């Protein structure tokens, strides 16, 4: 859908598109702005024109007539509409020179387990203008990720819901039925999120294949063909309840390890400490989330306060290490950052396991934390001339004394100790009004 007359921002509201008999995935909106400058009689005139492109991907399994409804897009008070339309879908012929096959694990997999899948495309003729439709990549019960590509030039984009998935591939030549065949193998990783039998519609590909001899210039006539795989099923098992550790947060894999580093080992009470938490495994950790640090096997809440939001981890190049950076506040007496426990499920042994980090010695200095309720200001004075002042707040039985811990000495750039700073003091000032 192309819209003219809208401004460059904000992004227009993309209408919902529903077509009976088709799967529709929104692909978002993007602007194309053309700017021009004219100078007439020494005066500069700037102008711009923005054209918005709203895109959807429509996938159809059979021939027929589709009814595309009227669409209305808005940007603030502006509106633009398209009339309803009809779309004719025709069957493409099937060619024996092209075959597509989706390879799934031969065994049942567990919820949260990341497993590889492979899409194999066999060709006996050179293709062009290929379009893949892989329903597995748009299944809501599965998280699909792309493994890292060893060769950045050997990747191909696949539609995965409302996004593109750049899958690496390997290309080689094989003999099949006495005919030399080109083979493309696309690698992907899937993580099921729900138990049950997952039924996957057939994957398809449409491409232009050569149908005649090449001419003197190397060009040959082409024709569009289609190839379809068969429907596939994947059995997904629920993780057992028996023996599940209280701190289990969904990690599934083998040979997990956890290591923790602290930004410093001496802190004042109330100061933050930055923790770098590295989790490793023999499997890829794309879908791994860090468990709550104040939960079972984590940091004691009486001594440490953790952020409410879960941190986003950084994945290593091989995908088998994920590093999280978390800033925790020291709020109580502590002599160490205790060992953190990571509970995980091993799909090979079908049992829960735990991994632990090493504790880190910690020195906490200073008195009790000072909150807003611990600071009492001066008692109010009577307003107007001749009003007598109320007793000082220091003499009130409800006032509290604020103690500021002494700052430690620090070394300068030359290694000499800097003199100790004087102890701060509190002065009380009467309020400006009654």
């Amino acid at each position: 859908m192309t819209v003219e007359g809208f401004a460059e921002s904000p992004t227009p509201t993309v209408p919902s598109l529903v077509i009976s008999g088709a799967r529709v995935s929104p692909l978002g909106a993007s602007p194309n702005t053309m700017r021009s400058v004219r100078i007439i009689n020494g005066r500069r005139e700037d102008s711009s024109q923005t054209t918005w492109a709203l895109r959807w991907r429509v996938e159809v399994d059979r021939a027929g007539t589709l009814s595309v409804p009227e669409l209305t897009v808005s940007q603030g008070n502006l509106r633009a509409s398209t009339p309803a339309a009809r779309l004719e879908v025709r069957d493409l012929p099937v060619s024996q020179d092209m075959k597509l096959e989706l390879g799934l694990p031969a065994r049942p997999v567990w919820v949260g387990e990341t497993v590889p899948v492979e899409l194999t495309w066999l060709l006996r003729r050179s293709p062009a203008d290929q379009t893949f439709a892989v329903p597995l990549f748009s299944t809501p019960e599965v998280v699909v990720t792309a493994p890292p590509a060893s060769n950045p030039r050997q990747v191909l984009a696949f539609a995965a819901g409302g996004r593109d998935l750049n899958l690496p591939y390997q290309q080689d030549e094989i003999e099949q039925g006495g005919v030399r065949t080109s083979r493309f193998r696309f690698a992907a990783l899937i993580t099921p999120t729900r138990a049950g039998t997952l039924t996957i519609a057939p994957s398809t590909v449409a491409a232009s294949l050569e149908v005649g001899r090449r001419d003197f210039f190397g060009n040959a006539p082409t024709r569009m063909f289609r190839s379809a795989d068969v429907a596939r099923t994947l059995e997904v098992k629920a993780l057992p309840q028996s023996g599940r550790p209280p701190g289990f947060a969904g990690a599934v894999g083998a040979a997990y390890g956890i290591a923790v580093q602290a930004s410093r080992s001496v802190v004042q009470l109330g100061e933050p400490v930055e923790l770098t938490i590295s989790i490793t495994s023999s499997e890829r950790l794309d879908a791994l989330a860090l468990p709550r640090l104040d939960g079972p096997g984590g940091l004691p809440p009486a001594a440490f306060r953790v952020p409410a939001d879960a941190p986003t981890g950084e994945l290593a190049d091989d995908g088998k290490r994920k590093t999280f950076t978390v800033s925790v506040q020291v709020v109580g007496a502590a002599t160490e950052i205790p060992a953190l426990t990571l509970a995980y499920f091993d799909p090979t042994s079908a049992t829960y396991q735990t991994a632990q980090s090493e504790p880190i010695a910690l020195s906490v200095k200073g008195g009790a934390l000072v909150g807003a309720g611990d600071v009492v200001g001066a008692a109010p004075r009577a307003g107007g001339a001749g009003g007598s002042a109320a007793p000082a707040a220091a003499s009130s039985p409800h006032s509290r004394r604020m103690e500021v811990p002494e700052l430690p000495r620090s070394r300068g750039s030359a290694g000499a100790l800097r003199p100790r700073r004087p102890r701060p003091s509190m002065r009380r000032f009467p309020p400006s009004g009654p």
Side-chain angles (χ1 to χ4, degrees):
M1 181 178 181
T2 302
V3 184
E4 296 180 351
F6 281 6
E8 188 175 358
S9 64
T11 302
T13 302
V14 179
S16 176
L17 176 59
V18 178
I19 301 177
S20 178
R23 295 183 300 275
V24 182
S25 303
L27 300 179
S30 59
N32 180 20
T33 302
M34 298 183 61
R35 294 181 171 84
S36 61
V37 178
R38 294 192 308 170
I39 299 178
I40 302 177
N41 297 328
R43 297 183 60 184
R44 172 179 172 140
E45 294 183 359
D46 296 328
S47 63
S48 64
Q49 181 178 3
T50 299
T51 301
W52 280 91
L54 284 66
R55 300 171 58 240
W56 296 263
R57 181 182 295 275
V58 181
E59 299 175 75
V60 187
D61 294 329
R62 59 181 59 88
T65 302
L66 299 181
S67 297
V68 181
E70 175 184 341
L71 293 176
T72 299
V73 61
S74 62
Q75 186 190 59
N77 295 327
L78 299 178
R79 300 285 187 275
S81 299
T82 60
R86 300 175 70 84
L87 177 65
E88 293 294 331
V89 180
R90 299 177 181 176
D91 276 326
L92 288 175
V94 177
S95 173
Q96 299 301 320
D97 293 325
M98 180 170 60
K99 184 179 179 181
L100 189 67
E101 182 178 350
L102 177 64
L104 298 176
R107 61 170 178 86
V109 299
W110 299 90
V111 170
E113 181 184 3
T114 300
V115 293
V117 298
E118 187 174 81
L119 187 69
T120 303
W121 190 25
L122 300 177
L123 290 162
R124 295 178 178 175
R125 296 173 183 246
S126 298
D129 302 327
Q130 64 274 356
T131 301
F132 290 90
V134 186
L136 173 65
F137 296 165
S138 302
T139 302
E141 295 85 4
V142 172
V143 176
V144 185
T145 55
S150 56
N151 184 354
R153 295 184 177 181
Q154 290 193 181
V155 294
L156 190 67
F158 286 77
R163 63 189 177 99
D164 283 339
L165 193 67
N166 294 317
L167 298 184
Y169 66 86
Q170 294 181 353
Q171 180 183 2
D172 58 6
E173 301 286 333
I174 61 172
E175 290 285 340
Q176 193 177 53
V179 180
R180 194 166 186 82
T181 304
S182 296
R183 180 174 63 176
F184 295 82
R185 291 179 294 169
F186 302 92
L189 299 169
I190 64 170
T191 306
T193 59
R194 193 171 67 182
T197 300
L198 190 62
T199 301
I200 304 165
S203 301
T204 62
V205 59
S208 293
L209 301 180
E210 295 180 355
V211 293
R213 294 183 178 181
R214 297 184 179 182
D215 58 19
F216 176 79
F217 300 99
N219 300 319
T222 61
R223 185 181 177 187
M224 288 292 295
F225 290 94
R226 177 177 181 268
S227 178
D229 189 23
V230 298
R232 305 282 178 177
T233 59
L234 181 64
E235 191 69 28
V236 182
K237 299 193 296 184
L239 298 178
Q241 295 291 333
S242 176
R244 178 177 295 190
F248 177 72
V252 179
Y256 270 85
I258 179 172
V260 180
Q261 291 182 333
S263 59
R264 49 184 174 165
S265 59
V266 179
V267 296
Q268 294 287 334
L269 193 65
E271 289 184 338
V273 175
E274 189 173 272
L275 301 182
T276 302
I277 304 172
S278 297
I279 298 178
T280 57
S281 175
S282 60
E283 313 293 337
R284 287 190 61 88
L285 302 175
D286 298 77
L288 177 72
L290 186 68
R292 286 287 306 176
L293 291 181
D294 54 357
L299 301 174
F304 299 92
R305 185 176 299 157
V306 304
D309 298 331
T312 301
E314 183 178 348
L315 200 65
D317 292 339
D318 62 356
K320 297 182 179 181
R321 176 188 297 273
K322 208 168 192 179
T323 304
F324 302 86
T325 302
V326 187
S327 182
V328 302
Q329 185 183 18
V330 182
V331 296
T335 59
E336 67 176 9
I337 298 173
L340 300 183
T341 300
L342 174 68
Y344 64 95
F345 180 79
D346 188 340
T348 303
S349 62
T351 58
Y352 289 98
Q353 307 288 337
T354 57
Q356 272 195 337
S357 66
E358 294 292 334
I360 301 173
L362 186 68
S363 175
V364 181
K365 300 181 180 296
L369 283 177
V370 178
D374 295 321
V375 180
V376 179
R381 298 176 180 268
S388 59
S395 63
S396 170
H398 300 290
S399 65
R400 300 182 185 180
R401 182 181 179 187
M402 179 178 180
E403 294 185 1
V404 180
E406 189 174 86
L407 298 177
R409 292 184 294 175
S410 60
R411 294 185 179 272
S413 59
L417 289 175
R418 297 178 181 175
R420 190 185 300 272
R421 297 183 182 179
R423 182 186 299 273
S425 61
M426 286 187 62
R427 297 182 60 189
R428 306 184 183 277
F429 297 90
S432 60

